[in-house]
Structure formats: C-alpha cells, structure tokens
Amino acid sequence: MLLAEKNSLTEEIERLVEKYGSNRSSLLPVLQDIQRNHRYISEHAQQEIARVLDIHPVEVYSVISFYSFLNTKPKGRNIVRLCRTITCDLAGKDSIVKAVERELGIKFGETTKDKRITLEFANCLGMCDQGPAMLVNYKVYTKLTPEKAVEILNELK
Amino acid sequence: MTITKTKRTGSVIFSEYKSGESIKKALSLKRDDILFEMRTSKLKGRGGAGFPTATKWMLAAASISKEKFVICNADEGEPGTFKDRVLLLEYPELVMDGMVVAGYTIGAEKGIIYLRGEYEYMIQSLEDYLENMRRENLLGNNILQTGFNFDVSIRMGSGAYVCGEETALIESLEGQRGEARNKPPYPVNTGFLGRPTIVNNVETLCAVSHIVVKGGEWFKTYGTDKSTGSKLFSISGDCKYPGVYELPWGTSINELLDKVGASHTKAVQVGGASGICLSKNEFDRKLSFEDVPTGGSIMIFNETRDMIKILKNYMEFFVEESCGQCTPCRIGNKKLLEGVKMIEEGTITYSYLKSLRELGHTMQVASKCGLGQSSPNSFISITEKFKDEIFRYGNGGNNGK
Amino acid sequence: MENKDFRAPLSQKAHTVEKPAEPNQIGGTVSVEINEKKISVPLGTTILEACRQNQIHIPTLCYHDDLCIAGVCRICVVEVEGMRTLQASCAFPITAPIKIKTSTSLVRKARRDIIDLMLSEHYGECYSCVKNGNCELQNLAKEYGVDSYKFGHVKEPLFEIDESSYSVVRDMTKCIMCKRCVRTCIDLQEVGVLEAVGRGHETHISTFMDKPLGEVICINCGQCINRCPTGALHAQDPSDVVWSAIDDPNKHVVIQTAPSPRAAIGEEFGLEAGHSLTQELNTALKRIGFDAVFDTNFTADLTIIEEGTELILRLYKALAENDKSVALPQFTSCSPGWVKYLEHFFPEYINNLSSAKSPQQMFGALIKTFYAEKSGINPEDIVSVAVMPCSAKKFECNRPEMQDSGYKDVDFGLTTRELAKMIREAGIYLPEMPKTHFDSPFGDASGAGLIFGATGGVMEAAIRTIIEFVTGDKTEDVFENANVIPVRGFDGIKYLEIPITEVGEVPDLIKHLIPDWNWLKGVTIKAAVVHGTANAKKVMEDIIAGGKFSGCHFIEFMACPGGCLGGGGQPIPTNEEIRKKRAQAIYAEDESLEIRKSHENPNIVRIYKEYLKDGPCGHKSHKLLHTQYIKRGKYIA
Ligand SMILES: Cc1cc2nc3c(=O)[nH]c(=O)nc-3n(C[C@H](O)[C@H](O)[C@H](O)COP(=O)(O)O)c2cc1C
Ligand code: SF4
C-alpha cells in the first residue's frame, strides 16, 4: 500500500471513530463502514482501528472473522449472496447455483478474475416466502429463476 | 427500494392502530399501571423463549442504575422466519412506539434496534421513520412535553445468527464476538455496558403497543389460557400461499395447513431449524406454549421431500452458525452433521445413531446458550419420526448392512 | 459510556455478583443444599467454590485459578433443582437458596459426552506428547473411564505446528478451545497476541491475521504455556541438542542454574511446592554429564553492581549535574519478556532500560571469555547452557546482539520442566541426590542474587547494596535482618520511598566514577516494583501521564506474575498459592546463607580485581555485560 493511501485510510478511521465514539462499542459500526467503503478491511486498517480504539489488533481480527459480512481479503466489487436455507433450496437454489457458476466461470466462494463479482452463500435472508432469494450488495432479489439471476448478475458493473 | 404495503388484517397485531397512540396513552399513565396491564395481558416473548414480558420489565424497572437500555431484537435469523421483516417495513409505528413505552416503563432513555445485516436495505426507511417521530416529538427530549427523554438508534449486525441470542447480541453491540454470556446474571441486571437492559423481539414490542392502548383484558380474550393474544406465523415451503399470517394461539397444524393451501404434506417444521419436526399423525397438535411453542417459523414439506436432505441443511446451518465457544455445540453439531452424512451414505449403524441421539440430549442440557440447547431438536425429531427414510438410504442397522 | 474495564472479551469475564464485605451481616450468606448436605456460603460464591470448600470434587478444564471465568468447556456442569438445563458450576454465583446435585446420571453422562467430543477432535496419541502424564484432558479421560473414541478420532492433523518462535510452540491440533491462553494473553498479561478466530466449528485460537508466532508481538513470557491444560502450547525444547553436546567428548558443556528452577523443580518429582533443591540439583547435573555447574546468582550479584552503578551514574548526572536529558526512572532489564514488551508497546522508553544485560547473558559472555581463559578451553568448544524458569530466555539468548564474547554467548536455554525431563531420562530421582557446591571459579553466590527469583528481589538486592554504598551503614540497621519487607509480597504494584539523611564515603569500587555522596543528601529515593505485564502497562501509562511513577528513580519490572518463580518455564500447574510457596522457599534459603549482599560476594570483588579491571560500567564491562535495545513498535508488517 502506498503511503498516501495509508494516510487517507488512517484519516478515514479517525473520522469514523469521531462519529461513533472511541469506546469498544463502536468497533462494529467502524468495521462495517470500512467494509462498505473498501469491500474489505486491510491489515493496516485493522491495526489503525486497534490503535484508535485502544484494543489489540488480534481482537479486531478476531471480531472480523466472527461475522460473515466482514472480511480481511479483497473481494469483488459486487458481492452476491445466495440464500441456502432449506426453503430456498427446495424452491430451486441448486439450479441457480449451476446457472450462475457456469455463466461466470467461478464457483461459490470465489471471485471473478476481473474482480467484478464474488459469489457466496448466505444463511437465511428472511425471504423464505419468496424463494429462491439472493442479496446483491445490499439489495434483495426474490423468486429467482436461473435466467433471471444470470440477467441480474450480468447487469452488474 | 420501494415498499409495497399489503393490506393485512388480523385480530391483534394487524388490528387498527394510529401511530403514536400508545406513547400518548402510556405517558399519561403511571409506570406501575403499565406494568399492571402487561401483567394482566400475560404476554409472553415472541422471540422464541416465551419469557413473560411483564416479569422481564418489572425486574429491569426494579434495578437501580443511572442508565438503562431497551433493545429491540431485530436479528431475525431463524431459518423460515420473516415476520419481523414485515413488521419493520410495514408497521414501524408499532415497533417504535412499543420501544418508547418500554423505555418509559423501565426508566430507560436509550433504545437500540439491532437489525440484522441482511436487512440493511430497510435502514433508510427506518431512519426516516425515526426522524419523523422526532419531528412529532414522539422521540427525543421531553417527549410530548412530559419531561420524558428517549431516543432510538439503529445498529447493524453483520451476518451472525447467534447474535439473535440476547446476551450474544449485547456482546456484539459492545464490539465483541457474538458469544453468549454466562447466565445468571441476566441482562435485566447486567446487560449492555453492564447496565440493566431489556431485550425484546420486534413482535413483542408490537403487541405492547396494542396492549397499552386496548388493555390487557382485551388482549387476553384472544388465544388460550397460557398463550394469550395472537401470533404471527411465517409460513414457507410447500404451500400455495406462503407469507405472514396472524392467527390466534391454539390454532392446530391442520387448520393452518388448510389456510395456506398445503396439500400432501408430509412434515411440518415448527420453530425453524432449531425447532421440532412434526409428522402427519401430529397435525392435530396446537400451536401454543402449552403444546407446540414457536417463534413463528413454519416450514411445510410435502411427500416428495427428502427429510434427510432437509436435516442435513439444518445441521450445516448450525455447524456454521454456532458461536463456537462451548464444547457441546461446537463439536456436537459437527458430529450430528457427520451422522446425517453417514445416513446418506448408508454407513451408519443403529447403535451409533443411538449414541448421536443421546449426544443430542446432552447438548440440550449442557450447552451454554439456546443455540446449542435447541440445535439437536431437529436431529432428534427427524431421526425418530422418519426412520423409514433412514432405511431407504440402505442403512440396515447393525447387522443388516 | 466510556468504560475501560471492558478490555477482555466480556463473554469470558465473570459477571460475578459482588460478595458482601461483611458475610455475617443479614443476607450476607445463603444456605444451599449440595448433594443433600446443607451448607451456608457467602452470597455470590460460585457453585464450584462452594463445592471445593466442602471437599466435593468437580472436574474443570476451562477454569483456572488465575483467570477470569469462561464457562465454555461445560465439563463442570451440575444439576440445579428447578432449572431446565445443567449449569456450569464455575460460572454460577449463588444468590438464592438452591439445591445442587453434582453427580447424577445426567451429569455424568453429559460430562462423559463432552470428554468424548473433545477427544474426537484431539489429534495425536498421548505417548508421543510433551504433556503425557501431566495433561488435564488425559486425566479426565481416565477419571471418566474413556476406553474408546466414541465419536471417532482425527486421522490427519488439521493444523500445522507453529515453530516459528524461539520460545513458544503452538500445536493447535491438541487445542480443546478452553481459551485459557486467550484469557492469559489478553487479560492477565494484556499483551494481546492470541484470540479466538473464526466462528462455529471452524473457531480456533490464532494470532493477528494468522501470522506465525515468531512474527507477532508475542513477548515469549510463556504464561499461556503454564495454563494450557493439554499439549497445545509448549516451549521450544532444545534438550535433544543438549544431550548430543553432552555426549560429544570434544565439547565442554557448562550449565548455569537460575534461582527459581531450584525452588520449583521438586514439584516435577512429586514434592509439594516450596522445596528448594539447589545442591541436589548440582549433583544431578554433574551425573547427567555437564562438565561444570555454575550459579546464575553470581551474575545476579554482578548485575546489582553494574545496574546499581549505572543508576548511580544516572542519578549523579540528573541530580548533581542537573542534566535534564537523563532517562529516569531506570527500568530493570533482567526479564526478557518485559524487555520485549517495552520494545513493542512503549518503544520511546527503551533508553530507560538499564543497559546491563540480564544475569543469564552476563554469565554467557563471561563463560566464553573469562572462564575460557582461566581454564584454558577454546571458547569454540564450550557449549553454554542455562536452566531458567523462563521461556523468554530462549528468545533472549538468540537475540543477535547477544554475541559479545565473539560467539553465541548462551547456546541453549532450558526450562525447569525440560531439565526435569532430562534428569528423569537419566534415571535420577532428584530429591534423593547428595548435595554438592557450585563449581569454581564462580562458586557460591550471595542471597541477594538468589532472591532475584521473586518479584521485588532485584529491588531488595539493590537496596541492600545501595544503602551500604551510600551511607556506609549496615542494611541490618535499617531493615531488620536485612529483609526489605516492603518490596516483598505479591501485590501487583509496590511503591516505596527511602529518604537519604546521612551519607558516607564512596566505596573504592566506584570511587573513580563519582567524587562524593553529598548531592544525594536529603534526597528521597523513590522506587517501585511491578510484576505481570498488565501491571507494567498501568505503571507505564501512569508515567506517560506524568503520575506518581514518573517521579520514580528506579523501577523493577518482571513480565511474569510473581516474578521469575512464576515464569513460563516453571512446573505446571501454577496458581498463587504455589507461587507463594516457591517464594517462601527462596526467602528461606536466602536467610540461611552467610553472604546476603552482592557487593560482599568475594568472587565479585575478585572478578573486578582480576578481569573487569576498569570497574563497574567500565570499558570491558560495557563490552561484555551491557547491551542495547530495539524500538520494535506494535505494528506488524
Ligand atoms: C440462537 C438464538 C437466536 C435467537 N434469535 C432471535 C432473533 O433473531 N430474534 C429474537 O427476537 N429473539 C431471538 N432469540 C431469543 C432471544 O435470546 C431472546 O429470548 C428474545 O430476544 C427475548 O425477547 P422476547 O422476550 O420479546 O421474545 C434467539 C435465541 C437464540 C438462542
Ligand atoms: S451453545 Fe453454541 S452458540 Fe451457544 S454458547 Fe455454546 S457454542 Fe456458542
């Protein structure tokens, strides 16, 4: 990472801590914002967050690793989370998995080479009455068909 | 995101309600009077555990502390549950008003909605709604000129089911891993930041709004003796009309299946992945705290479904979603999942299956929190009630293979 | 909402109910029924405590006397009447009259299942494990009659063994997730290297970004090792190499023994804590095949002279010459865990560290120079071993700075545990060994060097010497029997002031360094004693904030709770009671010695006459006995 990048990240973290407070309770909101803005929480970001909140870097890492929506490795620009709860499964999740994987040429858990899309599973999106469902970044799509799912993904930048 | 409000009807939760109504009423009452109404209503928590709400509130009200908290548990993560989504999107007034009433009753000035990460798309509409309440002086300082201060903030989860467990939720709010705490002491004494805290489900708070306006006696006219009022059920799976239904407690599974247009039903999973599975001959059982208690998730499976596959899905869920701190749950669920895989492969012996079921019983009593205590439920009930499907995979038992 | 007490994961902290100050007051006690026996306990006592007080055995794993409550292993579950589930007795404070049953069939079955679950994911076989015979999991399996792997057994190791650190080896395949190490590292020591990572079944203990232990801010104190119930954490063991050096006729293998191992090694041979086996150990080491056995206390005495002189010089500059640039308070540097802690966490303070090496490293440098010359042995052929209560010493002897003799000053650091193992391997039962003295030319040392093993020991030794240097009076005139009681004991942070009213002659040894003591007259010397890095952190923060400790002249810091006697290389188990007994053994031995002050040790006097001729802090001693430190910082690249 370049020095300038590092400094701007530090500034961003300090701004966030000012916004949420410098006690440990602010850890998740800060992490969530960094995740949203950078799509991952880098090693440097973790150490800076630890510094300003006066906790240990390993504690930050430990918390990140607990939550499915936070990650420490760069991911794609768009994160696609397909629900794998049984109701979505029974409604045809598997055929969507196959269609999407074939279309993008990657498996679930992987990111496209151009960093456009990361495919993941999610545990229950709370759309069980309208399955299969998937979350694209923060937007949900329901009653998917393989065709519809692929179309949605193809529109992503 | 546009929210389409369906016109819903129901006897209690979906009955008439004007926004702000319960706040106005509550603030004109004494705290004890509200607690009295709550007690009369016999309302039990809708989040799954069914703890009497009045008792929880009384304990918190009795705790002496300069700061208390009201937390709305909107982490709805139980597979097959989505009623809170509907309430938050379509009836935010019931939720928010309920929180203000709770704050007034226990003497808290801060409310926090813990919203699951998957529902981030709702946040704008909720924030807008809160802003609106502040404008109307239903939130903020000196609410309706009564001198009572209360404000609500929204905090997001980040994709961890166990954070729905109230102490794990509090840990998560404190910036920790969502690991359940030792109890006692309970949150009503030592909760968020060590302060007295009540954690209530979204639906519980909605019921509170109605009870304050219409009275505990009115609430009690619905439901059964021990399960008063009505319940929202999230119906999914093999039926014509999945969705959220408000039904009185005491409704039988058969009645429910009729209503949602389910046919050729083989099994009904009540209470989500951590609930129990009912087979055909139990469909006359009644949904209520007395008989089949539930947080509202109903998943319907017809005769074409493979119960072992369903069980495997549930166990995979728990292996991943356990917080991983205590032994019975962290390793136990994995062993149960491996057992299911052995059934699929046709390699399980009946004596090992028996050991696993006994392990399930150990997990139910020895796990640290509700997750591990309930995760074996589906394993135990499905392997008991659908033995023939185990046979179908070629498991002939000890000598049969 | 600011609350700094919430540092450690709260889920791992006891949400204990405060016990009443006066248990006899009304409502101060509760009566409970345990296994149908009625007893009365103070409000807030946990079920586990109540049972232990009444001789009812309850198995535990994640519970440790030194640590906060976790309640995660669930092995200590018991039945409480009226509760749907079993309760973890370690985490259940009694606040109402309850009925408890500790050994129902439900309880026994649950415990057995839990043990079986742990074993199902515990890789390896007991006979090939360092903890064989001293493993809490193994003991439990025995207690509950485990005779098969009910839920299977791992066939392949799931983790690679992390041997990147000079001191601590992590073998996560043996981890049972009791999180004692996490609570030790984050809570007890506040270093913050180990935490639980991941969720669900994947949860495991790891470091920041899963880096090797050798690359993170681990200070090597080894406290986690002392509290690990299984073999998941152990020290980097060089005993095989030491054996082959012993077996090599061309090698001259010498060993120095620190004060703490002698006070504790008996525990490895089944003795109660608190038996010193100093001279028995000398004999055993000779029988094992070491060519010479030396007493590290000799260089502890030397440390007092060197470090004390350094302090006097700093004070002289600051007080007599009014030099504001002098770094004060001076910090002790004998504890390599503390040194590395400071280098990581407060690097801007490394100038405050005494430049004097630790006794181990001083000895190393002297063995391959002075001793080699004296005995006419080529230093290249000398293998220098140190037995220490410490795992950080293994790191210390590998620091690249520690080669002032021209060779690696100390080749291998052995822990008390490893040495005990070697002695057992040699078929020796240590407590029955005859007694012998240490070898010349260093010989026996003073009691001042000996008490280095306990927290406050360095300070006490320094006080014994400095009082006599400065005032010319006997320490005995100030402190009865020369026991400096105010610096003893296990309080985490101790503070004391010594007003200097009278001064005497400057002793010959340092006459060339300062003209007189008049500048010290009327000065009150302020000192502090700190053990455990969590306490060190508090003191450092106070110094930064300009508090009371910033006014100190001299502070003794030890990384480990209790000082060296509680070090990461000491016998397992450990708890405060055991540490207290070890301390008693050390102080008793000190009192039995004739020479109890470093400057009175005749060998010290001799070495300055014969070898370090330009005196303490002189040119030669600077070359051999002093060192410098590295500003490491907290950031991990
Ligand atoms: C694993 C687990 C997950 C839970 N998830 C939720 C949840 O998503 N929403 C909820 O309201 N309660 C959930 N609960 C129940 C809460 O712990 C708690 O009992 C509830 O929020 C109390 O509110 P109530 O009394 O209004 O039901 C969960 C419990 C467990 C053990
Ligand atoms: S039961 Fe499961 S989720 Fe609950 S504390 Fe134990 S490991 Fe965590």
Side-chain angles (χ1 to χ4, degrees), chain B residues 348-367:
Chain B
I348 200 157
T349 62
Y350 272 91
S351 54
Y352 189 56
L353 189 58
K354 187 162 160 259
S355 298
L356 287 179
R357 302 243 313 249
E358 279 174 7
L359 171 65
H361 290 297
T362 293
M363 290 164 66
Q364 287 175 326
V365 293
S367 295

Side-chain angles (χ1 to χ4, degrees), chain B residues 94-153:
Chain B
L94 285 173
V95 187
M96 305 302 177
D97 293 1
M99 286 184 77
V100 178
V101 172
Y104 175 72
T105 312
I106 68 159
E109 297 195 340
K110 285 198 183 108
I112 301 169
I113 300 176
Y114 188 90
L115 185 68
R116 65 190 305 229
E118 290 84 344
Y119 288 171
E120 178 145 355
Y121 59 85
M122 287 182 194
I123 201 159
Q124 202 49 51
S125 75
L126 290 175
E127 292 282 12
D128 290 348
Y129 189 83
L130 288 172
E131 204 41 54
N132 212 20
M133 281 178 80
R134 288 188 194 107
R135 265 200 299 278
E136 292 177 16
N137 195 214
L138 292 168
L139 212 57
N141 282 341
N142 197 11
I143 296 175
L144 300 175
Q145 272 70 51
T146 56
F148 172 59
N149 308 329
F150 190 81
D151 211 336
V152 172
S153 56

Side-chain angles (χ1 to χ4, degrees), chain B residues 45-51 53 56 73 75-78 84 161-162 164-166 199-202 204 369-371:
Chain B
R46 302 305 197 221
F51 191 79
T53 308
K56 190 185 281 188
N73 188 343
D75 193 53
E76 184 165 65
E78 188 66 51
D84 295 348
Y161 161 71
V162 65
E165 200 278 341
E166 53 185 1
V199 181
N200 275 123
N201 175 250
V202 172
T204 313
C369 85
L371 192 153

Side-chain angles (χ1 to χ4, degrees), chain C residues 31 80 165 183-184 196 225 228 271 302 384 415 425 430 453 536 542-543 560 566 569 571 594 625-626:
Chain C
S31 58
V80 175
S165 157
R183 284 173 285 153
T184 303
I225 300 176
C228 178
L271 300 189
L302 199 56
S384 172
T415 62
E425 267 180 274
L430 184 64
D542 179 87
I543 289 176
C560 294
E594 215 164 290
L625 308 182
H626 290 252

Side-chain angles (χ1 to χ4, degrees), chain B residues 122-252:
Chain B
M122 287 182 194
I123 201 159
Q124 202 49 51
S125 75
L126 290 175
E127 292 282 12
D128 290 348
Y129 189 83
L130 288 172
E131 204 41 54
N132 212 20
M133 281 178 80
R134 288 188 194 107
R135 265 200 299 278
E136 292 177 16
N137 195 214
L138 292 168
L139 212 57
N141 282 341
N142 197 11
I143 296 175
L144 300 175
Q145 272 70 51
T146 56
F148 172 59
N149 308 329
F150 190 81
D151 211 336
V152 172
S153 56
I154 303 176
R155 287 275 306 263
M156 299 294 303
S158 264
Y161 161 71
V162 65
C163 289
E165 200 278 341
E166 53 185 1
T167 59
L169 185 155
I170 291 172
E171 284 288 300
S172 172
L173 283 178
E174 288 180 1
Q176 308 279 2
R177 297 161 63 79
E179 294 178 348
R181 292 178 178 175
N182 292 307
K183 288 168 278 188
Y186 296 93
V188 285
N189 296 316
T190 313
F192 182 50
L193 301 177
R195 308 277 189 216
T197 304
I198 53 170
V199 181
N200 275 123
N201 175 250
V202 172
E203 188 187 345
T204 313
L205 291 165
C206 291
V208 165
S209 285
H210 284 294
I211 291 168
V212 167
V213 175
K214 297 168 190 154
E217 285 296 339
W218 164 82
F219 188 79
K220 237 170 36 178
T221 57
Y222 300 93
T224 71
D225 184 32
K226 284 192 179 131
S227 321
T228 53
S230 67
K231 177 82 189 88
L232 297 191
F233 293 99
S234 318
I235 317 279
S236 63
D238 299 320
C239 63
K240 281 213 193 81
Y241 317 110
V244 173
Y245 289 77
E246 176 171 4
L247 300 172
W249 283 111
T251 305
S252 75

Side-chain angles (χ1 to χ4, degrees), chain A residues 35 39 67-71 75 78-84 108 117-125 132-141 144 153, chain B residues 117-118 120 158-159:
Chain A
Q35 172 79 37
R39 296 189 298 277
Y67 294 94
S68 310
F69 287 6
L70 303 176
N71 46 271
K75 287 200 179 167
N78 301 286
I79 298 185
V80 174
R81 297 192 170 96
L82 183 66
C83 180
R84 65 164 155 212
F108 268 76
I117 292 175
T118 299
L119 289 180
E120 282 178 3
F121 286 119
N123 282 328
C124 201
L125 298 176
M134 77 180 176
L135 207 55
V136 176
N137 301 324
Y138 295 102
K139 203 165 166 203
V140 309
Y141 295 88
L144 294 171
L153 298 195
Chain B
E118 290 84 344
E120 178 145 355
S158 264

